[in-house]
């Protein structure tokens, strides 16, 4: 990583934001394909291969594969796994909740977003965790405008999650996005109102609440990738890519492909 770039936000031109939208939409469509295929008995490795083939068919490049030594196109985190789960051969089971995170590069710019899927019959309290985490994402996005500062995003996410008694992961955060997967600023899912850098037009970030049913504390497994909850309770993760245009949040990614596929199942 380029250390001299720390604390330097790279604002994007409208043309660059259009390319980022293309990259985000490759990911959105890939997650739509995942939504079509994901079910009881399917293996994370199968989904990973399918996603890689699809991204390449779109003349894009898998964004995670090889980055920081990442061995896969998707990061697939099941139940108590929060994020960064590596795809395995273990078939998905009835009642699992599965976060699928995907990156793609188009003309040098990254898209990066995630959705947590329900497999078969999920316990109502776990389903509720997913619903509230998705609400957190959109509440955070609403705060991403030029009247606000970066921590206003996390403040909104934290308030909503904690109102439901959930733990807001502190050790991993959202981030600036562009020609690098992780740019400044960091976008924590917690914060104080009115703190942090002022939000300006041209800001491009990934907002990604990671919300735990129990403790906010997380651990890393020996594979040096998978992050799990310290208490073994489930976790949820939803992520969108957002640009600030005309003072407001413009969501570059979409869950429409996912939701259409799930509705047709
Ligand atoms: Mg991601
Ligand atoms: Mg991200």
């Amino acid at each position: 990583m380029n250390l001299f770039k720390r604390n330097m936000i790279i604002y994007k031109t409208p043309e660059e934001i259009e390319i980022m939208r293309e990259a985000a939409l490759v990911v959105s469509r890939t997650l739509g394909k995942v939504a079509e295929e994901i079910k009881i008995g399917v293996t994370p490795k199968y989904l990973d291969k399918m996603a890689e083939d699809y991204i390449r068919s779109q003349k894009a490049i898998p964004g995670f594969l090889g980055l920081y030594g990442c061995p896969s196109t998707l990061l697939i985190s099941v139940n108590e796994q929060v994020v960064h789960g590596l795809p395995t051969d273990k078939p998905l089971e009835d009642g699992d909740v599965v976060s699928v995170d995907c990156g793609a590069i188009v003309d040098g710019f990254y898209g990066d977003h995630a959705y947590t899927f329900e497999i078969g019959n999920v316990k109502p309290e776990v389903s509720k965790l997913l619903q509230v985490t998705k609400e957190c994402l959109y509440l955070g996005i609403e705060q991403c405008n030029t009247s606000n500062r970066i921590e206003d995003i996390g403040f909104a996410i934290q308030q909503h999650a904690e109102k439901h008694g959930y733990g807001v992961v502190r050790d991993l955060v959202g981030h600036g996005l562009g020609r690098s997967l992780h740019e400044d600023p960091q976008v924590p899912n917690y914060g104080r109102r009115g703190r942090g850098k002022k939000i300006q037009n041209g800001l491009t970030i990934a907002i990604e609440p990671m919300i735990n049913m129990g403790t906010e504390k997380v651990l890393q497994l020996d594979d040096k990738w998978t992050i799990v909850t310290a208490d073994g309770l489930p976790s949820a993760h939803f992520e969108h890519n957002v640009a600030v245009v005309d003072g407001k949040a413009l969501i570059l990614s979409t869950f429409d492909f996912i939701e259409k596929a799930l509705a047709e199942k």
Side-chain angles (χ1 to χ4, degrees):
M1 278 200 272
N2 254 329
L3 290 178
F4 70 87
K5 282 188 177 166
R6 287 180 77 84
N7 292 316
M8 196 183 85
I9 296 174
I10 303 167
Y11 297 96
K12 311 303 187 296
T13 65
E15 293 75 20
E16 289 170 327
I17 289 171
E18 273 317 301
I19 300 170
M20 290 189 65
R21 191 208 296 270
E22 290 304 315
L25 289 178
V26 168
V27 175
S28 301
R29 292 197 300 273
T30 307
L31 291 176
K33 296 279 169 198
V34 168
E36 286 172 18
E37 297 280 335
I38 198 166
K39 59 174 190 248
I40 298 168
V42 163
T43 68
K45 273 208 171 150
Y46 169 82
L47 297 173
D48 185 58
K49 174 76 171 69
M50 189 207 65
E52 179 178 353
D53 292 346
Y54 180 75
I55 290 171
R56 294 194 193 283
S57 81
Q58 302 300 295
K59 307 272 177 280
I61 301 167
F64 298 166
L65 188 64
L67 187 70
Y68 316 126
C70 181
S72 58
T73 294
L74 301 178
L75 291 166
I76 301 182
S77 309
V78 183
N79 297 331
E80 79 285 357
Q81 298 178 351
V82 180
V83 286
H84 301 171
L86 300 181
T88 66
D89 284 321
K90 185 174 182 288
L92 297 173
E93 294 175 10
D94 191 26
D96 284 345
V97 286
V98 185
S99 151
V100 180
D101 198 346
C102 180
I105 306 169
V106 172
D107 292 342
F109 285 91
Y110 279 86
D112 164 29
H113 53 283
Y115 192 91
T116 302
F117 295 91
E118 300 187 8
I119 308 300
N121 292 303
V122 169
K123 285 187 196 150
E125 66 266 31
V126 179
S127 204
K128 178 81 193 262
L129 171 70
L130 270 51
Q131 181 59 37
V132 170
T133 304
K134 200 199 278 186
E135 289 164 7
C136 283
L137 171 59
Y138 287 103
L139 289 169
I141 290 170
E142 247 174 58
Q143 297 300 315
C144 187
N145 61 63
T146 52
S147 307
N148 283 343
R149 291 175 178 270
I150 289 291
E151 286 196 31
D152 288 304
I153 297 169
F155 177 80
I157 292 170
Q158 181 182 10
Q159 290 293 305
H160 191 59
E162 291 184 349
K163 194 169 77 188
H164 288 86
Y166 298 145
V168 177
V169 174
R170 303 295 202 274
D171 291 2
L172 298 129
V173 295
H175 50 92
L177 184 73
R179 290 186 183 277
S180 301
L181 179 62
H182 296 118
E183 294 184 353
D184 281 320
Q186 292 201 344
V187 184
N189 295 303
Y190 58 92
R192 287 198 277 167
R193 209 198 299 256
R195 299 287 288 252
K197 279 235 160 80
K198 206 163 170 16
I199 293 170
Q200 296 183 34
N201 283 322
L203 180 75
T204 49
I205 56 175
I207 300 179
E208 50 178 318
M210 290 158 261
I211 307 295
N212 298 345
M213 180 162 277
T215 179
E216 71 204 39
K217 297 221 161 33
V218 297
L219 304 167
Q220 190 177 47
L221 296 186
D222 289 340
D223 65 9
K224 301 281 182 227
W225 279 92
T226 316
I227 305 293
V228 297
T229 58
D231 58 9
L233 291 175
S235 182
H237 176 219
F238 289 86
E239 177 176 21
H240 265 317
N241 300 150
V242 174
V244 181
V245 176
D246 297 332
K248 298 190 299 285
L250 173 69
I251 306 179
L252 301 176
S253 45
T254 176
F255 293 152
D256 287 356
F257 300 104
I258 295 172
E259 282 158 4
K260 182 166 181 291
L262 294 180
E264 285 171 2
K265 269 188 157 173

